[in-house]
């Protein structure tokens, strides 16, 4: 099957080849924190090095940032991707199988969409290159480290540097991509850059805690004495303080007294600061508190917050991916046929077992769902190959002792005594 049957503009001989250039991608722009440039007052005097997040890869090393992005990515990767033709599932659609199960020879669908969603959640964009192979169309994700998108007012081109060879310039017709939200421009906002001030603060707090524990959690201080100290006493004192810093005991001579001038971790509310920073970072990605820490929300709120996570985080993202697939991978003829991509979110919205059972009864008694629809959408079970299982018109409570073998019709015992009438 040719690429023209798969894609709107095609990527074989019907389109121009990507431009070859010797230019290497420019390093990612480093934006300063809106709260601090990475330095604090006095750093230049004491010789401290600034703590700044300069790249998305550095931001992803923060535990809270990694948790938020990986949570979104794994949820998207676990969703079934289905292709519909009108209101029914499309059968025998090769491109649908490629997108759902094997976008390329090295990745299954869950791995590919999880990787793309992680890049989008962290950087605000994700790019892949469609390539025609002997087995058909393959989608190869572009490494975000070697990808530099250049957004214009009404244009886009991507500079990509492979592991070997010169960099290439790819245009919209050569790419498949989807982006994060923007502030009215074509260029999307980068979540890690928006959260840079909080990430810088989190790095400073982490460095403070690490340094404190390296010192045995012993605060700095001042030694005071009313007596003059000789050179020998000072040398013994230095050795004694070094041993104390490493967890040993210090021997103070000449009436020396130690006065701490640095508060302990508990006094500086280090744990509270870390928790607040985690909550602050989760707000940039709209992650519910119930996913961050069970202690931050009760059981009643946890189920509602999980539903909110699907509605306000996963659904908007999957909607953008669905439209990107339909607009950038389907031909106009495919779209005229009513073909469209859709992620199945039903499994994320089923609720607990009691909620599922209650909903199933309500669906059947109200005649809004058939038995097969309840089995597939509510419980994730396969369909029953019977006509009565496909009919939603007859509710279960309309007959006494309904017989499943007759598809909900009146049971045989109800007809006793009426056969001669």
């Amino acid at each position: 099957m040719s690429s023209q049957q798969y894609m709107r503009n095609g990527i074989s001989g019907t389109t121009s080849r990507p431009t070859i250039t010797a230019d290497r991608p420019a390093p990612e722009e480093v934006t300063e924190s809106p709260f601090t440039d990475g330095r604090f007052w006095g750093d230049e005097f004491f010789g401290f090095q600034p703590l700044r997040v300069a790249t998305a890869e550095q931001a992803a090393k923060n535990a809270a940032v990694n948790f938020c992005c990986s949570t979104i990515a794994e949820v998207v990767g676990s969703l079934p991707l289905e292709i519909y033709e009108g209101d029914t599932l499309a059968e025998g659609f090769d491109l649908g199988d490629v997108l759902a199960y094997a976008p390329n020879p090295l990745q299954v669908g869950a791995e590919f969409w999880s990787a793309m969603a992680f890049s989008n959640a962290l950087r605000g964009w994700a790019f892949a290159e469609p390539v025609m192979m002997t087995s058909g169309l393959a989608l190869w994700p572009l490494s975000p480290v070697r990808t530099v998108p250049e957004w214009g007012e009404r244009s886009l081109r991507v500079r990509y540097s492979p592991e070997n060879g010169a960099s290439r310039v790819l245009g919209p017709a050569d790419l498949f991509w989807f982006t994060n939200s923007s502030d009215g421009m074509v260029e999307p906002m980068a979540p890690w850059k928006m959260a840079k001030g909080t990430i810088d603060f989190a790095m400073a707090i982490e460095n403070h805690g690490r340094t404190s524990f390296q010192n045995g959690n012993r605060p700095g201080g001042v030694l005071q004495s009313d007596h003059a100290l000789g050179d020998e006493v000072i040398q013994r004192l230095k050795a004694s303080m070094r041993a104390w810093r490493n967890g040993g005991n210090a021997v103070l001579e000449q009436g020396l007294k130690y006065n701490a001038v640095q508060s302990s971790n508990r006094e500086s509310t280090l744990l509270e600061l870390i928790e607040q920073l985690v909550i602050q970072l989760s707000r940039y990605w709209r992650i519910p508190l119930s996913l961050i820490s069970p202690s931050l929300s009760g059981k009643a709120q946890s189920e509602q917050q999980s539903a909110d996570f699907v509605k306000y985080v996963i659904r908007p993202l999957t909607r953008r991916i669905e439209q990107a697939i339909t607009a950038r991978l389907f031909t106009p003829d495919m779209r005229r046929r009513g073909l469209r991509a859709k992620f199945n979110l039903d499994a994320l919205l089923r609720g607990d077992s009691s909620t599922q059972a209650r909903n199933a009864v309500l669906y059947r008694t109200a005649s809004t769902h058939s038995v097969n629809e309840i089995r597939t959408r509510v419980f994730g079970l396969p369909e029953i190959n019977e006509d009565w299982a496909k009919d939603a018109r007859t509710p279960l409570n309309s007959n006494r002792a309904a017989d499943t073998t007759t598809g909900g019709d009146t049971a045989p015992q109800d007809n006793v005594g009426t056969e001669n009438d």
Side-chain angles (χ1 to χ4, degrees):
M1 183 175 291
S2 66
S3 61
Q4 188 65 27
Q5 292 176 289
Y6 278 121
M7 297 186 58
R8 171 167 54 91
N9 294 323
I11 54 174
S12 58
T14 58
T15 58
S16 59
R17 301 294 296 174
T19 304
I20 304 298
T21 175
D23 295 338
R24 307 297 294 182
E28 193 166 3
E29 180 184 358
V30 178
T31 56
E32 299 294 349
S33 166
F35 306 104
T36 173
D37 62 355
R39 297 182 296 113
F40 296 94
W41 183 87
D43 285 357
E44 65 279 1
F45 178 78
F46 292 103
F48 294 153
Q49 294 296 324
L51 297 173
R52 295 186 299 175
V53 175
T55 64
E57 290 70 37
Q58 292 178 354
K61 293 180 180 180
N62 178 271
V65 174
N66 188 280
F67 175 81
C68 293
C69 295
S70 61
T71 298
I72 296 173
E74 291 299 332
V75 171
V76 172
S78 67
L79 295 174
L81 177 58
E82 302 168 342
I83 305 298
Y84 280 82
E85 185 172 1
D87 295 330
T88 60
L89 286 173
E91 297 181 358
F93 187 58
D94 294 338
L95 181 55
D97 293 338
V98 169
L99 295 174
Y101 302 110
N104 59 69
L106 298 182
Q107 288 180 309
V108 297
E111 296 168 341
F112 174 82
W113 293 113
S114 177
M116 295 285 284
F118 189 94
S119 177
N120 180 81
L122 180 63
R123 300 172 178 84
W125 46 260
F127 290 95
E129 183 180 9
V131 177
M132 284 305 303
M133 306 178 65
T134 56
S135 58
L137 181 69
L139 283 176
W140 291 100
L142 299 184
S143 172
V145 180
R146 299 191 293 270
T147 302
V148 180
E150 299 176 358
W151 305 90
E153 183 178 357
R154 297 182 181 180
S155 63
L156 166 66
R157 67 175 183 174
V158 172
R159 293 182 178 270
Y160 182 68
S161 298
E163 293 180 348
N164 300 311
S167 63
R168 295 179 291 156
V169 177
L170 304 175
D174 306 312
L175 295 166
F176 167 75
W177 79 96
F178 56 92
T179 62
N180 198 7
S181 58
S182 64
D183 58 350
M185 298 166 45
V186 175
E187 181 178 1
M189 294 183 292
W192 78 271
K193 291 182 180 180
M194 302 297 293
K196 188 176 182 302
T198 306
I199 301 175
D200 288 343
F201 192 12
M203 290 181 59
I205 294 296
E206 180 181 353
N207 183 70
H208 165 69
R210 182 172 58 249
T211 304
S212 177
F213 282 103
Q214 286 176 345
N215 293 332
N217 202 22
R218 300 186 177 191
V222 176
L223 292 173
Q224 294 181 341
S225 176
D226 296 334
H227 305 282
L229 302 180
D231 293 339
E232 295 182 0
V233 176
I234 293 177
Q235 294 299 325
R236 292 196 299 270
L237 181 61
K238 289 181 178 179
S240 180
M241 294 306 298
R242 282 194 295 268
W244 178 76
R245 280 290 186 184
N246 294 325
N249 296 321
V251 178
L252 302 181
E253 305 178 36
Q254 301 292 335
L256 285 167
K257 296 180 180 180
Y258 179 80
N259 297 322
V261 296
Q262 179 179 340
S263 61
S264 64
N265 286 340
R266 182 175 299 275
E267 293 172 350
S268 62
T269 64
L270 179 65
L271 297 179
E272 288 79 2
L273 276 175
I274 293 176
E275 183 178 11
Q276 289 301 318
L277 286 173
V278 170
I279 295 175
Q280 182 72 7
L281 286 172
S282 68
R283 289 171 177 162
Y284 284 99
W285 284 271
R286 304 187 300 278
I287 301 297
L289 297 180
S290 59
L291 294 179
I292 299 172
S293 174
S295 61
L296 297 177
S297 66
K299 182 178 180 180
Q301 296 178 344
S302 177
E303 183 175 350
Q304 181 60 45
Q305 289 184 358
S306 298
D308 291 342
F309 174 67
V310 176
K311 290 188 295 184
Y312 303 128
V313 181
I314 300 302
R315 184 54 189 149
L317 175 56
T318 55
R319 183 61 173 167
R320 289 196 293 271
I321 300 176
E322 292 166 359
Q323 292 192 352
I325 292 174
T326 305
R328 294 164 184 156
L329 291 180
F330 289 179
T331 64
D333 291 338
M334 293 177 181
R335 292 196 294 271
R336 280 192 291 268
R337 284 174 49 190
L339 290 171
R340 58 187 177 88
K342 181 177 176 58
F343 283 94
N344 191 342
L345 303 180
D346 293 339
L348 300 178
L349 299 173
R350 289 173 184 165
D352 53 27
S353 58
S354 62
T355 302
Q356 294 180 42
R358 182 173 62 252
N359 291 341
V361 173
L362 292 175
Y363 293 155
R364 286 300 291 127
T365 55
S367 297
T368 59
H369 292 66
S370 67
V371 172
N372 278 342
E373 289 174 333
I374 293 175
R375 287 174 62 86
T376 57
R377 297 183 183 181
V378 179
F379 298 105
L381 299 174
E383 294 184 352
I384 299 175
N385 190 20
E386 296 288 347
D387 292 337
W388 60 264
K390 305 175 184 178
D391 190 357
R393 293 172 296 178
T394 305
L396 291 179
N397 64 349
S398 63
N399 300 298
R400 181 178 65 84
D403 185 6
T404 57
T405 61
T406 61
D409 293 338
T410 304
Q413 60 267 27
D414 290 342
N415 297 323
V416 175
T418 62
E419 297 177 354
N420 298 327
D421 295 343

